[in-house]
Amino acid sequence: MRPTKETGILTVAAVRAPRDKGPVELFFNERQQIFALPSAKAGLADGLREAVDRGTPVKAVLNPRRGTVEAVQPLSERELREFQKERILLDAPERPFKVDLARIDPTTFNIVDHYLKVPTFKFCTKTVPSYKVAKDIFDFCAAQSCHLPGPYAISHCIPFQYVRDGCYARAHKMRQIITDQYGYCCEKVFSFANNYPDRLALKAGKWGGCCVTWWYHVAPLVRVRIKIKLLSFNFEFVLAMVIDPGMFDKPVLLSTWLGAQEDTACDANANLSMYAIQPGSAYSPANYAGTMFTTDPAYTATHATLTAYKNLTTCP
C-alpha cells in the first residue's frame, strides 16, 4: 500500500485549475504523481502559485494514498541553503518535442539519426550491439526488483512494483547499471502531460491492473543496433528502445513506450503533450515546461527514494 503521510522539500512545477469543478491540481518537479488540494486546504493555492513564480521550494506534507496535499510550510534559512547547495541543474538540456502519437509512423519514428536526431547522441557512440544484449540488460535490471526475495546484485533494490511514483530514481539506478556494469550509452526519455487538461495514464497490468496517472514519466533510453537480412541484402540500423520493467517485460520501442501512457480507458484526458530525450545524467524535471532538469551525480537522492519506496505496492 502507499503511505498515508510523506514529507518532502519540493519545488512546485504548476498549480492547475480544477477539472470538472474538482479540486485544484498540484504538480511537483520531484514527484511524478499528481496531487490535489482538498477543499479545506484550498487557501494554500495562492501561496503555492507564488512559490511557482519565485521558484522557491516548500516543505509539503503529502498523502500519496489519497493523492492530496495536507500541509505546506516555508523552509528555514538553513533548510533553504542546504536545498540550494544540493540542487544541481543539468547544463544545456535538449529541447522537448511536441508529438501527436496518432500521427507518427512507428516504422520510421524510432530510427536514430533518421527521425530521431538528438544532439546528445553525439556525446556517446557505444550503442548496444544487438536486441539480445538489450534484453540481457533489461532482465538484469528487472531481477533487482524489490518485490523479489533477492539477494540482489546491486547495492539497492529497485521498486518496480511501485509505479505510482519514483520513476526518476528507478531510471537513474538503471542508468548506473547500463553505463557502469555494461559500458553502453544511456540517455533518458521524459514524457510530459503539461497542457491542460492532459495527464499520462496507464493500467498497471504487471502490478494488479489498477489505473495510474502521472504528469511526467522517465526511463532509460538505449540505442540498439539491429541487423536484418532480406533476400540477399543485409540491412543495419539503430533503434531507440526504452528499458522500463515497471511497465513492460522486455525492451520496447520508444513509440511503444510513449503510446502506453495514453490509456483513455483509465482517464478520458490521457494525452501525452510532449517528450524530451536528455543525457543520462538528467534526474527529474526542474520546471513545468520540461526545459530544465536536475541531476544526481552521487546517486544520493536516487538511493533515498529507492529505500523509501522499496516496501510499497502499486494497487490496493
Side-chain angles (χ1 to χ4, degrees):
M1 290 290 291
R2 289 175 284 167
T4 57
K5 186 176 181 180
E6 176 184 322
T7 301
I9 296 177
L10 310 171
T11 53
V12 186
V15 181
R16 206 151 80 170
R19 295 190 308 155
D20 301 324
K21 299 182 180 180
V24 172
E25 293 183 332
L26 297 175
F27 300 73
F28 297 103
N29 292 308
E30 296 81 8
R31 298 289 186 274
Q32 67 181 128
Q33 183 178 357
I34 299 171
F35 289 89
L37 273 180
S39 57
K41 309 287 183 180
L44 296 174
D46 289 341
L48 290 165
R49 291 190 182 95
E50 184 176 343
V52 175
D53 294 339
R54 294 186 176 184
T56 54
V58 298
K59 185 185 294 184
V61 180
L62 310 175
N63 185 327
R65 189 177 299 181
R66 294 181 178 177
T68 56
V69 176
E70 302 299 321
V72 176
Q73 304 167 351
L75 273 62
S76 67
E77 291 186 6
R78 179 183 61 81
E79 289 173 326
L80 182 58
R81 286 195 303 269
E82 290 180 356
F83 178 84
Q84 292 172 335
K85 180 181 179 181
E86 295 173 1
R87 191 173 192 248
I88 304 171
L89 294 179
L90 178 70
D91 184 45
E94 300 287 355
R95 67 181 180 88
F97 300 98
K98 294 182 179 179
V99 63
D100 181 353
L101 294 181
R103 302 182 65 179
I104 68 169
D105 181 353
T107 63
T108 58
F109 177 83
N110 303 286
I111 302 177
V112 174
D113 294 332
H114 174 73
Y115 184 92
L116 294 174
K117 299 179 180 180
V118 183
T120 194
F121 288 156
K122 298 178 181 179
F123 295 108
C124 180
T125 59
K126 192 175 181 183
T127 58
V128 178
S130 67
Y131 178 81
K132 180 183 181 303
V133 175
K135 183 64 163 57
D136 289 343
I137 293 172
F138 182 99
D139 290 344
F140 178 87
C141 291
Q144 313 312 312
S145 180
C146 296
H147 82 289
L148 298 174
Y152 308 108
I154 58 176
S155 58
H156 293 73
C157 65
I158 308 175
F160 293 116
Q161 80 288 344
Y162 184 64
V163 297
R164 290 192 179 273
D165 212 315
C167 62
Y168 36 89
R170 298 193 303 271
H172 211 51
K173 191 63 177 179
M174 286 189 283
R175 177 253 189 171
Q176 185 183 41
I177 291 169
I178 295 166
T179 56
D180 292 357
Q181 294 190 210
Y182 287 90
Y184 295 115
C185 304
C186 174
E187 285 77 37
K188 301 272 186 68
V189 55
F190 289 81
S191 53
F192 292 93
N194 51 4
N195 286 333
Y196 182 88
D198 293 354
R199 58 224 290 110
L200 305 176
L202 80 159
K203 182 171 289 187
K206 293 183 65 174
W207 315 114
C210 58
C211 289
V212 177
T213 56
W214 307 312
W215 82 270
Y216 76 88
H217 187 43
V218 57
L221 181 144
V222 293
R223 288 167 278 157
V224 182
R225 192 165 298 278
I226 302 295
K227 299 177 182 179
I228 60 173
K229 186 174 183 177
L230 292 176
L231 301 176
S232 58
F233 298 97
N234 293 316
F235 296 91
E236 182 175 312
F237 46 91
V238 178
L239 295 178
M241 305 197 79
V242 180
I243 307 292
D244 193 346
M247 290 176 60
F248 297 96
D249 292 320
K250 60 185 178 181
V252 296
L253 294 170
L254 173 59
S255 60
T256 301
W257 183 80
L258 294 172
Q261 300 169 55
E262 285 193 347
D263 191 339
T264 53
C266 281
D267 194 296
N269 292 306
N271 187 65
L272 190 143
S273 308
M274 66 182 200
Y275 72 98
I277 297 174
Q278 299 296 337
S281 55
Y283 183 65
S284 69
N287 66 355
Y288 187 59
T291 57
M292 296 173 60
F293 298 85
T294 63
T295 63
D296 186 27
Y299 294 88
T300 304
T302 299
H303 291 159
T305 300
L306 297 180
T307 299
Y309 291 170
K310 68 179 182 179
N311 295 320
L312 304 184
T313 55
T314 298
C315 302

Short mmCIF file of all heavy atoms in Angstrom, two decimals, residues 8 11 33 55 72 140 183 202 217 280-281 292 309 311:
data_model
loop_
_atom_site.label_atom_id
_atom_site.label_comp_id
_atom_site.label_asym_id
_atom_site.label_seq_id
_atom_site.Cartn_x
_atom_site.Cartn_y
_atom_site.Cartn_z
N GLY A 8 8.26 16.19 2.26
CA GLY A 8 9.41 16.42 1.40
C GLY A 8 9.60 17.89 1.11
O GLY A 8 8.65 18.68 1.17
N THR A 11 9.86 21.51 -5.11
CA THR A 11 9.60 22.70 -5.91
C THR A 11 8.30 22.50 -6.67
O THR A 11 8.05 21.42 -7.21
CB THR A 11 10.75 22.98 -6.90
OG1 THR A 11 11.00 21.81 -7.67
CG2 THR A 11 12.02 23.37 -6.14
N GLN A 33 3.67 11.78 -9.44
CA GLN A 33 2.26 11.65 -9.08
C GLN A 33 1.58 13.00 -9.08
O GLN A 33 2.17 14.02 -8.69
CB GLN A 33 2.14 11.00 -7.70
CG GLN A 33 0.70 10.74 -7.25
CD GLN A 33 0.63 10.06 -5.89
OE1 GLN A 33 1.64 9.73 -5.29
NE2 GLN A 33 -0.58 9.84 -5.41
N GLY A 55 10.05 30.51 -7.80
CA GLY A 55 10.96 29.38 -7.88
C GLY A 55 11.48 28.94 -6.53
O GLY A 55 12.59 28.38 -6.44
N VAL A 72 1.45 22.78 3.87
CA VAL A 72 2.60 23.39 3.21
C VAL A 72 3.24 24.37 4.17
O VAL A 72 2.54 25.20 4.79
CB VAL A 72 2.19 24.13 1.92
CG1 VAL A 72 3.40 24.83 1.30
CG2 VAL A 72 1.58 23.16 0.92
N PHE A 140 18.45 -8.17 -16.29
CA PHE A 140 19.27 -7.94 -15.09
C PHE A 140 18.61 -6.87 -14.22
O PHE A 140 18.50 -7.04 -12.99
CB PHE A 140 20.69 -7.50 -15.47
CG PHE A 140 21.56 -7.21 -14.28
CD1 PHE A 140 22.28 -8.21 -13.66
CD2 PHE A 140 21.63 -5.91 -13.75
CE1 PHE A 140 23.07 -7.94 -12.54
CE2 PHE A 140 22.41 -5.64 -12.64
CZ PHE A 140 23.13 -6.66 -12.03
N GLY A 183 28.66 -0.79 -19.75
CA GLY A 183 29.54 0.06 -20.55
C GLY A 183 28.93 0.62 -21.81
O GLY A 183 29.67 0.97 -22.75
N LEU A 202 -2.10 4.97 -17.46
CA LEU A 202 -1.92 3.61 -17.93
C LEU A 202 -2.48 2.65 -16.90
O LEU A 202 -2.65 3.00 -15.73
CB LEU A 202 -0.45 3.29 -18.20
CG LEU A 202 0.43 2.96 -17.00
CD1 LEU A 202 1.66 2.19 -17.44
CD2 LEU A 202 0.84 4.23 -16.27
N HIS A 217 6.85 11.14 -16.77
CA HIS A 217 7.44 9.83 -16.54
C HIS A 217 8.82 9.84 -17.19
O HIS A 217 9.06 10.60 -18.13
CB HIS A 217 6.56 8.73 -17.14
CG HIS A 217 7.00 7.34 -16.81
ND1 HIS A 217 7.42 6.97 -15.55
CD2 HIS A 217 7.11 6.21 -17.58
CE1 HIS A 217 7.73 5.69 -15.55
NE2 HIS A 217 7.57 5.21 -16.77
N GLY A 280 21.96 10.99 -19.93
CA GLY A 280 21.66 10.07 -18.83
C GLY A 280 21.80 10.70 -17.47
O GLY A 280 21.24 10.20 -16.49
N SER A 281 22.53 11.80 -17.36
CA SER A 281 22.73 12.47 -16.07
C SER A 281 21.51 13.24 -15.61
O SER A 281 21.42 13.63 -14.44
CB SER A 281 23.93 13.42 -16.15
OG SER A 281 23.77 14.34 -17.22
N MET A 292 14.08 22.32 -18.18
CA MET A 292 15.14 22.34 -17.18
C MET A 292 15.06 21.03 -16.39
O MET A 292 13.97 20.51 -16.13
CB MET A 292 14.99 23.54 -16.23
CG MET A 292 15.14 24.89 -16.89
SD MET A 292 14.77 26.25 -15.74
CE MET A 292 15.99 25.95 -14.46
N TYR A 309 10.71 3.69 -1.03
CA TYR A 309 9.64 3.05 -1.78
C TYR A 309 9.77 1.54 -1.87
O TYR A 309 8.90 0.88 -2.47
CB TYR A 309 9.59 3.64 -3.20
CG TYR A 309 9.13 5.07 -3.29
CD1 TYR A 309 9.24 5.79 -4.49
CD2 TYR A 309 8.60 5.73 -2.19
CE1 TYR A 309 8.81 7.10 -4.57
CE2 TYR A 309 8.18 7.05 -2.28
CZ TYR A 309 8.29 7.73 -3.47
OH TYR A 309 7.88 9.04 -3.57
N ASN A 311 9.22 -1.03 -0.03
CA ASN A 311 8.19 -1.92 0.51
C ASN A 311 6.78 -1.55 0.05
O ASN A 311 5.81 -2.12 0.55
CB ASN A 311 8.26 -1.91 2.03
CG ASN A 311 9.55 -2.51 2.56
OD1 ASN A 311 10.04 -3.50 2.05
ND2 ASN A 311 10.11 -1.89 3.60
#
